Amino acid sequence: MTEEAIVAVLPTLTSKDFATDQEVRWCPGCGDYSILAQVQKVMPSIGVPKENIVIISGIGCSSRFPYYMNTFGMHSIHGRATAVASGLKASRPELSVWIVTGDGDGLSIGGNHTIHLLRRNFDVNVLLFNNQIYGLTKGQYSPTSEKQKITKSTPVGSIDHPFNPLALALGADATFIARSMDRDPKHLQAMLTRSHLHKGASFLEIYQNCNIFNDGAFEIFTEKGSKPEEALFLEHGQPLIYGAAKNKGIKLDGLKPVVVNLEEGGSKDDLWIHDENDFYKAQILVRMFDDPRIEGHFPRPFGVFYEGERDCYEDVMAMQIEEAIATKGKGNLDKLLKGKEVWEIV
């Protein structure tokens, strides 16, 4: 049966069908509420039966997600959601697997597992909630916290250089990387849909406000007064334009991005046209990661940075097993355990 035929016979679902009877236990005002709402709104439209959707999380505030989604799921262990999801996808490749993790869970203790999941290109969806802080353990600095961050574990300021999550993902050869935010529901829904449609490992970073321990960390990108000047929304085949009056753009001077003012002699024809399939330009885009407090900084890009194609791990593994069976037979477990060298003691 084709995917279109399956969708045609599926019952009509709504976001309420993906909500559970569990009390949602996040702090009032937490950005996780919005992300949960957008995921629940998108799920009915992806054409996958509820029983074939699995949410796997690690440890952290974001990792309570499986309790609130009326699908199969697993609240696993710290940093290992990617490992659990890899095993599930390898054994049940027909499932739609979603990994919910945070900047601490996925980039600190789970950093090694995250890069190898992306390198292997399992067909799963990684949703990395980035609030630049450890929330569940009450406000320590995280791998994405900015330098000089005052927290309970860095009372005189962090001296760590923060991770750039999308640059890390691109360096691990992820085949889909994107960024969205909790306070732009429509954009987040679009990025969740794109993540699902991608064949391979999708990595979606979501800016999420922690109003208790790091309130306003991304306010400059989310608030109406500053968002048009600070957020650059990427559209495939369209020039990089931003600003409240759409009067600013980005052009390339060789391999160096340059901000131009379209009202002061800059030409729209000279602007950089976004190509989601251009791996090399994606590396420039992910490095547009300036501290917005610094004068002359670039706007922060949101949207799909890069989408490429590569064989998925579970597909190649299945082919390898089939070929082995075809050439060597189904095999014998006892014989395998004994090995080729056997000694008889007399």
Side-chain angles (χ1 to χ4, degrees):
M1 185 179 289
T2 65
E3 184 175 337
E4 291 77 10
I6 292 173
V7 173
V9 299
L10 286 175
T12 301
L13 301 175
T14 68
S15 60
K16 291 182 179 180
D17 293 304
F18 287 89
T20 69
D21 60 357
Q22 298 297 300
E23 178 187 0
V24 181
R25 301 187 66 182
W26 287 315
C27 301
C30 174
D32 287 351
Y33 285 96
S34 174
I35 301 173
L36 174 64
Q38 308 327 313
V39 171
Q40 289 173 338
K41 287 177 182 177
V42 164
M43 285 299 173
S45 67
I46 68 174
V48 179
K50 284 198 302 181
E51 59 271 21
N52 284 355
I53 298 173
V54 186
I55 312 288
I56 297 177
S57 66
I59 296 297
C61 295
S62 63
S63 294
R64 298 190 60 80
F65 219 83
Y67 298 115
Y68 311 137
M69 290 293 298
N70 190 17
T71 64
F72 284 104
M74 181 178 182
H75 190 177
S76 69
I77 55 179
H78 206 185
R80 273 66 178 180
T82 44
V84 173
S86 297
L88 177 63
K89 191 65 179 182
S91 59
R92 294 289 304 276
E94 76 280 8
L95 298 178
S96 177
V97 179
W98 298 73
I99 299 166
V100 173
T101 185
D103 47 306
D105 182 62
L107 298 179
S108 186
I109 188 171
N112 184 53
H113 294 280
T114 297
I115 61 175
H116 289 297
L117 172 93
L118 299 175
R119 175 178 68 89
R120 290 173 175 139
N121 200 38
F122 278 96
D123 185 18
V124 299
N125 309 290
V126 180
L127 307 182
L128 185 131
F129 297 15
N130 183 4
N131 56 21
Q132 296 186 166
I133 202 77
Y134 275 99
L136 188 67
T137 48
K138 306 299 184 285
Q140 300 86 354
Y141 81 109
S142 83
T144 57
S145 296
E146 68 275 17
K147 278 188 175 181
Q148 300 304 315
K149 183 72 173 178
I150 303 292
T151 73
K152 292 178 180 178
S153 55
T154 53
V156 294
S158 168
I159 59 174
D160 282 9
H161 180 75
F163 264 138
N164 177 338
L166 295 192
L168 181 74
L170 194 61
D173 284 337
T175 53
F176 180 95
I177 62 171
R179 179 187 291 137
S180 191
M181 60 183 84
D182 56 1
R183 296 186 179 181
D184 194 331
K186 289 186 177 179
H187 186 264
L188 180 52
Q189 290 173 34
M191 292 302 101
L192 291 167
T193 301
R194 287 292 305 275
S195 295
H196 163 72
L197 292 174
H198 176 70
K199 175 66 173 175
S202 66
F203 186 87
L204 175 59
E205 178 189 21
I206 306 171
Y207 283 175
Q208 174 253 321
N209 191 51
C210 175
N211 59 311
I212 303 299
F213 297 110
N214 203 20
D215 193 27
F218 304 112
E219 192 172 58
I220 196 168
F221 306 118
T222 61
E223 295 306 302
K224 290 182 179 180
S226 55
K227 182 177 179 179
E229 301 294 331
E230 299 293 342
L232 171 65
F233 287 91
L234 306 172
E235 295 183 54
H236 183 63
Q238 296 299 316
L240 302 189
I241 295 178
Y242 68 104
K246 297 296 181 183
N247 61 335
K248 298 177 183 178
I250 307 290
K251 73 173 184 178
L252 284 175
D253 181 6
L255 295 177
K256 182 180 179 181
V258 178
V259 174
V260 297
N261 191 314
L262 301 179
E263 295 177 343
E264 297 178 0
S267 172
K268 186 176 179 180
D269 295 333
D270 296 332
L271 297 183
W272 175 351
I273 304 299
H274 181 49
D275 182 355
E276 295 174 355
N277 309 124
D278 192 323
F279 177 76
Y280 299 101
K281 286 184 179 178
Q283 295 184 67
I284 301 173
L285 278 174
V286 297
R287 291 298 176 181
M288 291 172 62
F289 196 66
D290 300 340
D291 185 334
R293 296 170 298 184
I294 298 175
E295 187 176 352
H297 64 273
F298 285 105
R300 188 71 57 87
F302 292 84
V304 177
F305 288 65
Y306 174 71
E307 182 171 25
E309 294 182 5
R310 195 166 77 246
D311 290 337
C312 293
Y313 187 97
E314 67 273 18
D315 295 337
V316 177
M317 186 186 75
M319 290 173 57
Q320 193 176 57
I321 292 173
E322 289 177 6
E323 290 172 0
I325 292 174
T327 57
K328 299 182 179 181
K330 288 189 175 182
N332 183 292
L333 182 59
D334 289 336
K335 186 177 179 181
L336 176 66
L337 293 175
K338 287 179 181 178
K340 296 180 179 180
E341 297 179 352
V342 178
W343 290 266
E344 185 176 339
I345 299 175
V346 294

